[in-house]
Amino acid sequence: MRLLHRVVDGVCGRESPRMADYGDMWTLVEWMELLDSLSSLFRLAVGKNTPDEEVLASLADVGGGYGEAVLTVLRARREEIRQALVERTNNVSSSTLQDFDWHIKLALSSDKISSLQTPLLNLSLDVKENGALKPVSVEMNREELQTLISSMEAANKVNLQGHMHTYYDN
């Protein structure tokens, strides 16, 4: 149980467990795999809000009552793990979009192809990063634009779900 709590400490940005503290129970490779697996399990279970039954099912082949121990630690520290995941996500990008503009142009030819006729989107973004405004310009074709739109829609859906959880949890 102590090991599981130490793994959660590592997930939350504090000191991770050290192999030396647990004797000769594992080889170095086994130790690294164990830490990676447990850390991933805690992050995914909290990040995806996995039901207890699914967590236990994913640990069914481990045996020895370890599934219940993992579940006990997960239940006790779920909110702490969630907060650490939110902070980690927020730290990934402190940039915010301030403004944008776009233009569509039609590429009639290129140095490689004499007749191209491909619509291209020129997207200009004003991004605020660490207090400074930074212009970013991107040119993309139809497929790249569709990928961007799909990614933005998925991000918006996740964002809306987060707001709904916050609303209903309070």
Side-chain angles (χ1 to χ4, degrees), residues 93-98 126-135:
S93 176
S94 59
S95 302
T96 55
L97 179 64
Q98 298 298 301
D126 291 330
V127 178
K128 191 172 190 176
E129 187 172 7
N130 299 324
L133 208 54
K134 179 178 151 188

PDB file of all heavy atoms in Angstrom, residues 93-98 126-135:
ATOM      1  N   SER A  93       0.505  24.507 -21.868  1.00  0.00           N
ATOM      2  CA  SER A  93       0.350  25.687 -22.694  1.00  0.00           C
ATOM      3  C   SER A  93      -0.309  26.795 -21.897  1.00  0.00           C
ATOM      4  O   SER A  93      -1.474  26.705 -21.533  1.00  0.00           O
ATOM      5  CB  SER A  93      -0.498  25.372 -23.922  1.00  0.00           C
ATOM      6  OG  SER A  93      -0.707  26.534 -24.665  1.00  0.00           O
ATOM      7  N   SER A  94       0.460  27.827 -21.658  1.00  0.00           N
ATOM      8  CA  SER A  94      -0.116  28.995 -21.004  1.00  0.00           C
ATOM      9  C   SER A  94      -0.482  30.036 -22.058  1.00  0.00           C
ATOM     10  O   SER A  94      -0.798  31.170 -21.738  1.00  0.00           O
ATOM     11  CB  SER A  94       0.876  29.574 -19.998  1.00  0.00           C
ATOM     12  OG  SER A  94       2.071  29.936 -20.671  1.00  0.00           O
ATOM     13  N   SER A  95      -0.407  29.632 -23.327  1.00  0.00           N
ATOM     14  CA  SER A  95      -0.740  30.534 -24.429  1.00  0.00           C
ATOM     15  C   SER A  95      -2.252  30.632 -24.593  1.00  0.00           C
ATOM     16  O   SER A  95      -2.965  29.661 -24.396  1.00  0.00           O
ATOM     17  CB  SER A  95      -0.144  30.017 -25.733  1.00  0.00           C
ATOM     18  OG  SER A  95       1.244  29.881 -25.614  1.00  0.00           O
ATOM     19  N   THR A  96      -2.700  31.824 -24.968  1.00  0.00           N
ATOM     20  CA  THR A  96      -4.119  32.006 -25.245  1.00  0.00           C
ATOM     21  C   THR A  96      -4.283  32.749 -26.568  1.00  0.00           C
ATOM     22  O   THR A  96      -3.490  33.640 -26.894  1.00  0.00           O
ATOM     23  CB  THR A  96      -4.823  32.809 -24.126  1.00  0.00           C
ATOM     24  OG1 THR A  96      -4.152  34.043 -23.948  1.00  0.00           O
ATOM     25  CG2 THR A  96      -4.836  32.038 -22.818  1.00  0.00           C
ATOM     26  N   LEU A  97      -5.290  32.363 -27.300  1.00  0.00           N
ATOM     27  CA  LEU A  97      -5.600  33.008 -28.570  1.00  0.00           C
ATOM     28  C   LEU A  97      -6.282  34.341 -28.297  1.00  0.00           C
ATOM     29  O   LEU A  97      -7.286  34.399 -27.594  1.00  0.00           O
ATOM     30  CB  LEU A  97      -6.510  32.093 -29.410  1.00  0.00           C
ATOM     31  CG  LEU A  97      -6.941  32.639 -30.761  1.00  0.00           C
ATOM     32  CD1 LEU A  97      -5.738  32.835 -31.675  1.00  0.00           C
ATOM     33  CD2 LEU A  97      -7.953  31.696 -31.399  1.00  0.00           C
ATOM     34  N   GLN A  98      -5.717  35.415 -28.847  1.00  0.00           N
ATOM     35  CA  GLN A  98      -6.282  36.748 -28.648  1.00  0.00           C
ATOM     36  C   GLN A  98      -7.154  37.163 -29.825  1.00  0.00           C
ATOM     37  O   GLN A  98      -8.191  37.780 -29.649  1.00  0.00           O
ATOM     38  CB  GLN A  98      -5.162  37.778 -28.458  1.00  0.00           C
ATOM     39  CG  GLN A  98      -4.313  37.516 -27.232  1.00  0.00           C
ATOM     40  CD  GLN A  98      -5.107  37.600 -25.951  1.00  0.00           C
ATOM     41  OE1 GLN A  98      -5.691  38.624 -25.643  1.00  0.00           O
ATOM     42  NE2 GLN A  98      -5.145  36.524 -25.194  1.00  0.00           N
ATOM     43  N   ASP A 126      -3.119  35.670 -33.452  1.00  0.00           N
ATOM     44  CA  ASP A 126      -2.413  36.497 -32.476  1.00  0.00           C
ATOM     45  C   ASP A 126      -2.496  35.744 -31.159  1.00  0.00           C
ATOM     46  O   ASP A 126      -3.573  35.628 -30.560  1.00  0.00           O
ATOM     47  CB  ASP A 126      -3.053  37.879 -32.347  1.00  0.00           C
ATOM     48  CG  ASP A 126      -2.846  38.721 -33.592  1.00  0.00           C
ATOM     49  OD1 ASP A 126      -1.814  38.528 -34.267  1.00  0.00           O
ATOM     50  OD2 ASP A 126      -3.712  39.563 -33.888  1.00  0.00           O
ATOM     51  N   VAL A 127      -1.361  35.212 -30.712  1.00  0.00           N
ATOM     52  CA  VAL A 127      -1.309  34.366 -29.526  1.00  0.00           C
ATOM     53  C   VAL A 127      -0.578  35.111 -28.418  1.00  0.00           C
ATOM     54  O   VAL A 127       0.514  35.650 -28.632  1.00  0.00           O
ATOM     55  CB  VAL A 127      -0.575  33.033 -29.839  1.00  0.00           C
ATOM     56  CG1 VAL A 127      -0.482  32.160 -28.599  1.00  0.00           C
ATOM     57  CG2 VAL A 127      -1.282  32.298 -30.967  1.00  0.00           C
ATOM     58  N   LYS A 128      -1.191  35.159 -27.244  1.00  0.00           N
ATOM     59  CA  LYS A 128      -0.551  35.790 -26.090  1.00  0.00           C
ATOM     60  C   LYS A 128       0.167  34.700 -25.302  1.00  0.00           C
ATOM     61  O   LYS A 128      -0.449  33.738 -24.844  1.00  0.00           O
ATOM     62  CB  LYS A 128      -1.592  36.481 -25.222  1.00  0.00           C
ATOM     63  CG  LYS A 128      -0.998  37.373 -24.154  1.00  0.00           C
ATOM     64  CD  LYS A 128      -2.089  38.176 -23.473  1.00  0.00           C
ATOM     65  CE  LYS A 128      -1.510  39.241 -22.588  1.00  0.00           C
ATOM     66  NZ  LYS A 128      -2.576  40.071 -22.014  1.00  0.00           N
ATOM     67  N   GLU A 129       1.486  34.854 -25.188  1.00  0.00           N
ATOM     68  CA  GLU A 129       2.297  33.863 -24.484  1.00  0.00           C
ATOM     69  C   GLU A 129       3.203  34.597 -23.505  1.00  0.00           C
ATOM     70  O   GLU A 129       4.004  35.441 -23.903  1.00  0.00           O
ATOM     71  CB  GLU A 129       3.129  33.067 -25.497  1.00  0.00           C
ATOM     72  CG  GLU A 129       3.864  31.915 -24.905  1.00  0.00           C
ATOM     73  CD  GLU A 129       4.511  31.037 -25.974  1.00  0.00           C
ATOM     74  OE1 GLU A 129       4.487  31.401 -27.165  1.00  0.00           O
ATOM     75  OE2 GLU A 129       5.034  29.998 -25.598  1.00  0.00           O
ATOM     76  N   ASN A 130       3.044  34.289 -22.226  1.00  0.00           N
ATOM     77  CA  ASN A 130       3.812  34.949 -21.165  1.00  0.00           C
ATOM     78  C   ASN A 130       3.713  36.472 -21.250  1.00  0.00           C
ATOM     79  O   ASN A 130       4.700  37.186 -21.113  1.00  0.00           O
ATOM     80  CB  ASN A 130       5.285  34.506 -21.203  1.00  0.00           C
ATOM     81  CG  ASN A 130       5.435  33.026 -20.990  1.00  0.00           C
ATOM     82  OD1 ASN A 130       4.698  32.419 -20.223  1.00  0.00           O
ATOM     83  ND2 ASN A 130       6.385  32.418 -21.681  1.00  0.00           N
ATOM     84  N   GLY A 131       2.509  36.968 -21.539  1.00  0.00           N
ATOM     85  CA  GLY A 131       2.262  38.404 -21.561  1.00  0.00           C
ATOM     86  C   GLY A 131       2.598  39.091 -22.877  1.00  0.00           C
ATOM     87  O   GLY A 131       2.241  40.237 -23.074  1.00  0.00           O
ATOM     88  N   ALA A 132       3.289  38.396 -23.774  1.00  0.00           N
ATOM     89  CA  ALA A 132       3.672  39.014 -25.053  1.00  0.00           C
ATOM     90  C   ALA A 132       2.788  38.485 -26.178  1.00  0.00           C
ATOM     91  O   ALA A 132       2.464  37.297 -26.220  1.00  0.00           O
ATOM     92  CB  ALA A 132       5.136  38.705 -25.352  1.00  0.00           C
ATOM     93  N   LEU A 133       2.416  39.377 -27.086  1.00  0.00           N
ATOM     94  CA  LEU A 133       1.605  39.002 -28.242  1.00  0.00           C
ATOM     95  C   LEU A 133       2.533  38.488 -29.336  1.00  0.00           C
ATOM     96  O   LEU A 133       3.490  39.153 -29.719  1.00  0.00           O
ATOM     97  CB  LEU A 133       0.814  40.209 -28.730  1.00  0.00           C
ATOM     98  CG  LEU A 133      -0.500  39.927 -29.430  1.00  0.00           C
ATOM     99  CD1 LEU A 133      -1.404  39.061 -28.557  1.00  0.00           C
ATOM    100  CD2 LEU A 133      -1.210  41.219 -29.767  1.00  0.00           C
ATOM    101  N   LYS A 134       2.241  37.298 -29.832  1.00  0.00           N
ATOM    102  CA  LYS A 134       3.100  36.650 -30.819  1.00  0.00           C
ATOM    103  C   LYS A 134       2.258  36.286 -32.043  1.00  0.00           C
ATOM    104  O   LYS A 134       1.292  35.536 -31.929  1.00  0.00           O
ATOM    105  CB  LYS A 134       3.697  35.392 -30.179  1.00  0.00           C
ATOM    106  CG  LYS A 134       4.584  34.575 -31.051  1.00  0.00           C
ATOM    107  CD  LYS A 134       5.131  33.397 -30.250  1.00  0.00           C
ATOM    108  CE  LYS A 134       5.402  32.228 -31.146  1.00  0.00           C
ATOM    109  NZ  LYS A 134       5.745  31.032 -30.423  1.00  0.00           N
ATOM    110  N   PRO A 135       2.613  36.823 -33.221  1.00  0.00           N
ATOM    111  CA  PRO A 135       1.853  36.467 -34.424  1.00  0.00           C
ATOM    112  C   PRO A 135       2.275  35.081 -34.936  1.00  0.00           C
ATOM    113  O   PRO A 135       3.452  34.749 -34.962  1.00  0.00           O
ATOM    114  CB  PRO A 135       2.233  37.554 -35.427  1.00  0.00           C
ATOM    115  CG  PRO A 135       3.564  38.049 -34.980  1.00  0.00           C
ATOM    116  CD  PRO A 135       3.632  37.831 -33.496  1.00  0.00           C
TER     117      PRO A 135
END
